[in-house]
Amino acid sequence: MDEFTITEKKSGDLIILYLNGFLDAHTSSVLEKKFEELLSKKLYKVVVNFSGLSYISSAGLGVFMAYIETLRSNSGDIKLSNMSDKIYNIFDMLGFPILFNITKDESEAIVKFNETV
Amino acid sequence: MIKSSTGNLHLVRDFVEKKAAEMNIAQSVINQIIISVDEACTNVIKHTHKYNDHNEIEIEIEFKDNQFIVTLKYEGEAFDPTKKETPDMKEYFKKFKIGGLGIPIMKKSMDKIEFKHTKPNNNSLKLIKVI
């Protein structure tokens, strides 16, 4: 079984990333590469669906911190959805919901993008 | 004992989870212990061992006096995480900073952290959770 994989869906200028497995100091570079790829394609509106993610450490949090400013400065954003309580607790521990838009469902995240367009 | 490589972090997490589950510790508390040990090992692998997997980290777990204690033993230069100042998160988010969150997560998740360096280059890092 793969330790960490990403599948994606494109809907107009919006990209939805589905994370699977665990996101730690070993696997976070996979997500970094994905964001680099999106930037190179000028895709700045990203929803990240966490439903398949079993674990995240600070290395994973760091990836979102690394790209949020660039995406927002290009009229985009990273919106996070479908987190288990376990994953949400890690985001919440250091106050990440202050900076990031975290929604219960993917559809809510998509609606929020449409509201701000 | 693991080789000092991020590819082994999931083995460390599995080991801690198994030991904590044997003690019937609540899952939410187990999750706090797991992430703390992960962050501590990640810092050793990255900063102390600089990703050189010829180094090793020994992980000991004991349960005494209602304390779940994880001890990491490893060789290398001394770095005491308890001395590291905790960042102001409002400032952190405002300036879109990156990194440096491993130690704050360890401090928030555990009740006590103890670091000891003995010459020439032996380190012991204890992560303690009161159960």
Side-chain angles (χ1 to χ4, degrees):
Chain A
M1 199 183 86
D2 286 324
E3 295 170 337
F4 178 71
T5 55
I6 306 168
T7 52
E8 66 179 88
K9 195 165 86 182
K10 194 168 182 293
S11 165
D13 61 349
L14 192 78
I15 289 286
I16 303 160
L17 300 180
Y18 298 88
L19 310 187
N20 288 287
F22 57 77
L23 194 46
D24 66 3
H26 192 60
T27 60
S28 58
S29 60
V30 178
L31 184 59
E32 265 172 27
K33 282 188 193 115
K34 178 53 72 182
F35 274 109
E36 288 297 333
E37 184 195 316
L38 297 180
L39 286 181
S40 72
K41 292 177 180 168
K42 299 191 186 308
L43 292 164
Y44 304 118
K45 294 176 182 174
V46 185
V47 173
V48 183
N49 183 319
F50 282 74
S51 61
L53 199 77
S54 59
Y55 177 79
I56 190 166
S57 71
S58 69
L61 300 181
V63 179
F64 299 108
M65 282 306 296
Y67 292 97
I68 185 88
E69 191 179 10
T70 308
L71 267 65
R72 284 186 181 167
S73 65
N74 284 285
S75 308
D77 197 7
I78 306 173
K79 297 189 192 294
L80 314 173
S81 79
N82 299 73
M83 284 183 191
S84 64
D85 288 347
K86 178 184 170 185
I87 301 281
Y88 181 79
N89 286 342
I90 294 168
F91 273 88
D92 193 40
M93 191 188 290
L94 296 174
F96 273 70
I98 296 170
L99 185 65
F100 289 87
N101 208 318
I102 303 177
T103 60
K104 201 167 179 292
D105 295 310
E106 181 189 311
S107 56
E108 280 176 60
I110 295 168
V111 167
K112 280 188 188 290
F113 263 118
N114 293 333
E115 280 171 359
T116 52
V117 166
Chain B
M1 179 91 81
I2 58 149
K3 291 276 178 198
S4 194
S5 159
T6 55
N8 290 329
L9 287 169
H10 69 105
L11 301 175
V12 173
R13 294 194 297 268
D14 290 348
F15 174 61
V16 172
E17 175 142 38
K18 188 170 165 270
K19 289 288 173 192
E22 281 171 12
M23 305 295 173
N24 291 320
I25 296 168
Q27 190 60 48
S28 58
V29 177
I30 293 178
N31 293 342
Q32 290 178 319
I33 299 170
I34 288 173
I35 193 164
S36 303
V37 179
D38 176 321
E39 300 292 352
C41 286
T42 299
N43 281 348
V44 172
I45 293 165
K46 202 169 158 183
H47 301 297
T48 309
H49 293 159
K50 303 190 181 347
Y51 298 105
N52 181 345
D53 67 4
H54 291 313
N55 295 291
E56 288 172 334
I57 306 172
E58 194 181 325
I59 298 148
E60 278 177 13
I61 293 178
E62 55 182 327
F63 189 70
K64 64 173 184 187
D65 304 328
N66 291 325
Q67 292 183 327
F68 189 87
I69 306 166
V70 183
T71 308
L72 308 187
K73 290 180 179 171
Y74 53 95
E75 292 185 346
E77 251 177 67
F79 172 74
D80 184 350
T82 64
K83 299 267 170 24
K84 179 101 176 155
E85 215 173 294
T86 306
D88 173 346
M89 290 309 292
K90 275 190 187 157
E91 201 60 20
Y92 188 95
F93 290 129
K94 207 169 144 189
K95 293 187 172 163
F96 298 100
K97 290 190 177 176
I98 305 163
L101 297 181
I103 294 168
I105 286 177
M106 284 157 56
K107 286 182 178 171
K108 280 207 171 244
S109 304
M110 302 305 279
D111 292 301
K112 207 166 153 192
I113 299 171
E114 293 172 358
F115 176 78
K116 202 168 80 182
H117 180 79
T118 42
K119 286 178 181 173
N121 61 351
N122 295 312
N123 301 290
S124 156
L125 180 66
K126 274 188 196 300
L127 304 169
I128 301 165
K129 187 80 179 171
V130 178
I131 306 299

